[in-house]
Amino acid sequence: MFRFAGFAGALALIFTLVAPAPAQTTRYDIMDNQGFAAPMVAYTVEVPQGWATSGQVLWAKPCSGNDNFELVFQAIAPDGRTGFRIMPGHQVIWLDMQVAGLAPDMAQMMRAQMAAERNKMQTQFRGSNCHVAQVTGTRQLFDKLILAHRPADARILQSERNQPMLQSYASVFQADQPGMKTFYDAATVRLGYGLNGQPVEEVVLFSWYMFQLEPLEPGFGTFSQQAVVDSIRTAWVAPERRAADDAMLEAIIGSMKVNPDWNAKVNAFLQKQSSERQAANAQTAAERERQRQIDEARRDAQHQQFIDMIRQ
């Protein structure tokens, strides 16, 4: 079954397949109309004549899995049984309060405050790719974000972990720290279902990571999750013409090329953004240290006052 080439970053999609463009193709320009002063071609791709094709680079968008831009693209054969899509990612956020040891009325009040905050976020995220839910694992996310949008007879035929993506995550995320845990997973999932009365098999590349903040004092404090589902890539074929469909899809994706001028502008933007974030992080760290010193001095003063009171 066809599989996409390796994933080389959350912001820059690089297709490593090398294949000739299929015969009788049309060049399609994937435009960036939002990111810079004037519209630019971001990618070009050769698609068979007669295929339904659409795509763009989105910067101004509702909440999604990427704070910067999203590449959205699809190419679908005339009968709908062959094609591929690149879809925006998602964020899943959860806030809660652990209240062990509190008086029942205080615990109820704090839980109500958290529930109100979650309701506020649900209203804010309506119509976007951001969601409010407690994440329990890959299957929960896959069922909600993928299977729920497939025909009712959709079933998982095969699932295996995506080792290159897992290795990429492992190289980025550090070991867990007190009060914060990191989770991640990546899978290649093959689905089967009927489309217009005919069978279709689809491969989905699905990967996600999550930061989970836990109370330092067990049972009491804020519990939160922020999960990011990376850009979702999926391809499907008609099983009876699998070899021809696979070759066609590989040729199309192999023909996708990034515009060097656009790529240079994106890299310059990302470098500037990284420098600004590093400066902001340094300032935040300095402010935290100043606050720590203030808190420590206040605690020392309070402790001394308590000692003086005892001595009187």
Side-chain angles (χ1 to χ4, degrees):
M1 182 65 183
F2 168 80
R3 294 178 185 173
F4 281 106
F7 182 71
L11 301 179
L13 242 103
I14 301 174
F15 294 95
T16 58
L17 284 169
V18 178
Q24 297 182 337
T25 64
T26 300
R27 170 176 151 168
Y28 184 86
D29 292 340
I30 302 175
M31 299 297 298
D32 180 351
N33 295 315
Q34 302 173 351
F36 304 103
M40 293 187 69
V41 174
Y43 296 87
T44 62
V45 59
E46 297 287 336
V47 296
Q49 293 181 7
W51 280 45
T53 308
S54 63
Q56 60 182 317
V57 172
L58 296 176
W59 295 78
K61 56 184 171 28
C63 184
S64 70
N66 189 341
D67 290 337
N68 293 316
F69 68 85
E70 296 274 13
L71 171 61
V72 181
F73 181 77
Q74 67 176 14
I76 304 174
D79 67 357
R81 296 180 65 212
T82 308
F84 79 96
R85 287 192 181 97
I86 303 169
M87 298 177 290
H90 298 256
Q91 286 191 53
V92 184
I93 298 172
W94 182 253
L95 292 175
D96 205 353
M97 177 66 72
Q98 296 180 1
V99 292
L102 285 183
D105 56 342
M106 180 64 69
Q108 182 178 1
M109 182 184 71
M110 297 186 76
R111 289 196 187 99
Q113 289 176 343
M114 280 295 176
E117 186 64 27
R118 292 196 296 268
N119 290 336
K120 180 180 176 181
M121 287 193 298
Q122 286 178 330
T123 300
Q124 176 187 349
F125 295 155
R126 189 170 297 149
S128 75
N129 275 21
C130 286
H131 319 273
V132 179
Q134 185 169 0
V135 174
T136 59
T138 301
R139 183 60 191 265
Q140 172 210 18
L141 290 170
F142 190 86
D143 287 355
K144 176 70 174 178
L145 302 177
I146 303 298
L147 275 184
H149 302 280
R150 297 299 183 271
D153 65 339
R155 63 203 182 281
I156 295 177
L157 303 177
Q158 182 182 5
S159 179
E160 61 183 33
R161 304 193 79 195
N162 184 336
Q163 293 301 327
M165 192 65 202
L166 291 171
Q167 292 169 8
S168 177
Y169 280 151
S171 69
V172 171
F173 296 122
Q174 300 176 350
D176 291 344
Q177 301 175 7
M180 187 178 80
K181 294 181 179 179
T182 304
F183 302 85
Y184 57 83
D185 197 10
T188 302
V189 183
R190 186 162 63 95
L191 304 175
Y193 51 84
L195 184 65
N196 299 325
Q198 299 293 322
V200 165
E201 290 189 6
E202 177 182 7
V203 167
V204 181
L205 293 188
F206 190 82
S207 59
W208 63 279
Y209 59 91
M210 181 175 73
F211 302 110
Q212 179 170 292
L213 298 181
E214 301 177 349
L216 291 176
E217 181 181 338
F220 180 77
T222 301
F223 174 89
S224 67
Q225 295 176 330
Q226 182 173 7
V228 175
V229 177
D230 284 317
S231 173
I232 299 168
R233 289 160 293 151
T234 176
W236 62 96
V237 301
E240 75 275 8
R241 60 181 192 229
R242 182 189 312 278
D245 281 0
D246 284 355
M248 181 70 73
L249 291 173
E250 289 183 6
I252 297 170
I253 296 176
S255 74
M256 183 175 281
K257 295 179 175 61
V258 64
N259 176 4
D261 294 336
W262 177 81
N263 199 43
K265 285 182 176 291
V266 170
N267 287 336
F269 167 81
L270 295 177
Q271 289 175 358
K272 179 181 178 182
Q273 183 186 65
S274 177
S275 298
E276 291 173 348
R277 285 180 174 174
Q278 287 177 0
N281 289 340
Q283 181 179 357
T284 300
E287 291 173 352
R288 275 203 215 98
E289 177 58 20
R290 284 195 296 271
Q291 187 62 48
R292 186 194 67 78
Q293 293 174 359
I294 292 171
D295 291 344
E296 186 174 326
R298 186 176 67 252
R299 286 193 298 270
D300 289 345
Q302 291 171 341
H303 181 64
Q304 187 60 48
Q305 289 175 353
F306 181 68
I307 293 176
D308 293 344
M309 182 186 69
I310 294 174
R311 287 175 175 171
Q312 290 178 355

